[in-house]
Amino acid sequence: MSGSLLVKKARDFAVKAHAGLLYGGKDYVTEHLDRVAALVRQVAKDDEEAEVVAYLHDTVEDNKAITLEIIEANFGYRVSKLVGYLTDEPGKNRRERKKATNEKLSKVPEEFYTALVVKPADRTANFIACHTGANQKLLEMYKREHPEFVRAVFRKGLCDYLWSRMAEIVGEF
């Protein structure tokens, strides 16, 4: 984790927001959010905002008491806007939620491309966890969703390392 006070504040906020939540049977923050933040640091070195968003990207969808307004009050407008782009849209099922969310991500304006760095880091972390944790069923679901995810989120020259990591696991791209 970066030494920044703002990054520490975001991580502490995420720890509280995800208290008791598990990821693959282990603590959510250490198993998922720390991995996402580490991947973000690899591709967006010294980008404090990207690392903050990496810690906060799931807070609104994972904790119904947390809103984008609360994120804005604690971390500012830009971070709230970025978390908003990364928060799943509502829908009756996963397919509807992902379709609506991908549509939103496909229209992210360039000034908010940080969201398009954090989202591939999030998906890469998910792929790595499935691959190393031998969760074949979840990995297959992510693989099925991958073409639409790529169409929505990929921008040439933006975090190519993460896209290559995903391609290694997916076996295409």
Side-chain angles (χ1 to χ4, degrees):
M1 181 175 75
S2 164
S4 156
L5 290 176
L6 189 58
V7 171
K8 182 180 178 341
K9 178 182 175 184
R11 188 181 189 281
D12 290 347
F13 188 94
V15 166
K16 289 177 188 158
H18 293 93
L21 188 62
L22 299 178
Y23 185 88
K26 298 177 184 169
D27 177 67
Y28 189 82
V29 173
T30 57
E31 288 300 308
H32 181 63
L33 298 180
D34 284 344
R35 183 175 286 167
V36 174
L39 289 166
V40 164
R41 279 192 304 277
Q42 287 181 343
V43 297
K45 293 174 181 26
D46 301 321
D47 187 340
E48 179 183 72
E49 180 182 73
E51 196 171 346
V52 165
V53 173
Y55 278 112
L56 301 174
H57 78 275
D58 281 338
T59 55
V60 173
E61 68 188 57
D62 288 348
N63 185 327
K64 299 307 174 203
I66 306 292
T67 64
L68 291 173
E69 290 77 20
I70 291 170
I71 299 292
E72 183 173 353
N74 283 276
F75 298 96
Y77 170 79
R78 275 192 56 80
V79 169
S80 174
K81 186 78 169 164
L82 290 162
V83 170
Y85 280 119
L86 299 170
T87 300
D88 273 355
E89 292 295 303
K92 292 185 294 192
N93 54 44
R94 181 177 175 87
R95 174 178 246 148
E96 279 189 14
R97 288 190 308 274
K98 294 303 176 185
K99 181 177 179 175
T101 302
N102 284 335
E103 179 66 22
K104 173 177 63 174
L105 288 167
S106 73
K107 297 175 181 170
V108 170
E110 193 169 337
E111 73 226 50
F112 292 106
Y113 270 13
T114 299
L116 302 181
V117 172
V118 175
K119 191 62 181 174
D122 176 36
R123 185 54 66 102
T124 302
N126 290 338
F127 274 139
I128 292 168
C130 289
H131 187 66
T132 59
N135 189 335
Q136 197 60 36
K137 184 177 178 183
L138 193 55
L139 182 59
E140 290 305 319
M141 179 190 71
Y142 287 131
K143 284 181 175 184
R144 281 191 306 275
E145 293 174 347
H146 195 64
E148 184 57 37
F149 178 78
V150 172
R151 280 191 290 280
V153 180
F154 177 76
R155 302 298 188 278
K156 187 168 178 53
L158 188 64
C159 59
D160 290 338
Y161 168 74
L162 296 174
W163 291 103
S164 67
R165 287 290 308 270
M166 281 186 273
E168 289 170 14
I169 294 169
V170 173
E172 59 185 61
F173 186 61

